[in-house]
Amino acid sequence: MSPVTVVVVDDHAMFRSGVRAELASYPARVTVVAEAEDVDSAVEQVRAHQPDVVLLDVHLPGGGGVEVMRRAAPRCPDTRFLALSVSDAAEDVIGTIRGGARGYVTKTITGPELVDAIDRVSIGDAVFSPRLAGFVLDAFAGSIAVAQVDEDLDRLTEREREVMRLIARGYAYKEVASELFISVKTVETHVSSVLRKLQLSSRHELTRWASDRRLL
């Protein structure tokens, strides 16, 4: 049986390299055929390679993972999309599934778990981390509300949203920098921008703001 072909889409080059190196440990099961860093390059690579599975980050320059699926899927009917994101926010999970993803796992996943997820998605199974599966079931059962539009959240860039969520969860600036592969100075700049745009004055207020919107 041929290995599952994969395109890795993520705007962080170091993360793509890490995923590629991890998957290279399973040559009989998975082959990475291409990488992409933004929406335009992802659409180009997916159309060119017609992979079995696209490992897709949710937040990307140029419109995000949903935009990649919207543009690439019509020409790649046999390709399935598996979201691989740092975000486990309900709005991201539900929005990505509604956009066409066959599964959603977070970047805390282990290498063997990721290979298993790729295998399962390639044959049509739906794959979610256990807590995320609960989000999906609750949302489609109507027991939780997922905001379609949040004007406050829309003021933030994709990167600011990532920083905001980690800070609101209690991460130190150094931990955020390590998680997102950016400098501590850049984290400080994003936090200042987030607090200014949301008209908040402290991390405590930011945590409460994010909790109220189910973003933690």
Side-chain angles (χ1 to χ4, degrees), residues 144-209:
I144 64 173
V146 180
Q148 296 297 316
V149 177
D150 187 319
E151 292 184 356
D152 287 339
L153 197 60
D154 285 346
R155 295 191 185 99
L156 308 183
T157 65
E158 298 295 345
R159 177 63 84 191
E160 288 170 347
R161 293 186 191 192
E162 291 178 328
V163 171
M164 175 272 294
R165 288 192 178 100
L166 294 175
I167 290 296
R169 291 172 183 168
Y171 282 52
Y173 284 13
K174 186 176 180 179
E175 293 172 321
V176 175
S178 176
E179 183 76 19
L180 300 179
F181 304 106
I182 58 179
S183 70
V184 172
K185 183 66 177 178
T186 301
V187 174
E188 293 173 350
T189 300
H190 285 313
V191 171
S192 296
S193 179
V194 167
L195 294 177
R196 183 181 70 256
K197 289 181 178 180
L198 300 180
Q199 297 183 323
L200 303 174
S201 59
S202 69
R203 292 180 60 152
H204 176 72
E205 288 186 358
L206 179 61
T207 298
R208 185 171 58 191
W209 182 91

Side-chain angles (χ1 to χ4, degrees), residues 8-22 35 55-57 84-86 105-109 114 178-181:
V8 179
V9 180
D10 194 287
D11 58 335
H12 300 120
M14 289 182 65
F15 181 79
R16 295 197 307 273
S17 297
V19 170
R20 190 163 199 153
E22 184 68 33
E35 300 177 11
L55 280 183
L56 184 63
D57 196 5
L84 176 60
S85 175
V86 70
V105 295
T106 63
K107 290 180 177 178
T108 58
I109 195 170
L114 181 58
S178 176
E179 183 76 19
L180 300 179
F181 304 106

Side-chain angles (χ1 to χ4, degrees), residues 11-81:
D11 58 335
H12 300 120
M14 289 182 65
F15 181 79
R16 295 197 307 273
S17 297
V19 170
R20 190 163 199 153
E22 184 68 33
L23 297 182
S25 302
Y26 305 86
R29 298 176 64 186
V30 179
T31 297
V32 176
V33 295
E35 300 177 11
E37 63 181 0
D38 56 22
V39 170
D40 287 343
S41 62
V43 172
E44 179 182 349
Q45 293 299 331
V46 173
R47 287 177 176 174
H49 294 277
Q50 303 278 322
D52 299 312
V53 175
V54 178
L55 280 183
L56 184 63
D57 196 5
V58 173
H59 300 295
L60 290 167
V66 172
E67 180 66 11
V68 174
M69 291 186 284
R70 187 187 70 78
R71 290 168 53 185
R75 295 193 186 181
C76 309
D78 296 326
T79 295
R80 295 183 171 93
F81 295 85

Side-chain angles (χ1 to χ4, degrees), residues 99-150:
R102 194 67 187 170
Y104 194 117
V105 295
T106 63
K107 290 180 177 178
T108 58
I109 195 170
T110 66
E113 289 171 340
L114 181 58
V115 172
D116 286 341
I118 291 169
D119 273 343
R120 291 175 57 196
V121 165
S122 73
I123 60 174
D125 286 353
V127 178
F128 301 94
S129 302
R131 193 170 82 89
L132 304 188
F135 277 164
V136 175
L137 290 173
D138 290 345
F140 284 96
S143 58
I144 64 173
V146 180
Q148 296 297 316
V149 177
D150 187 319

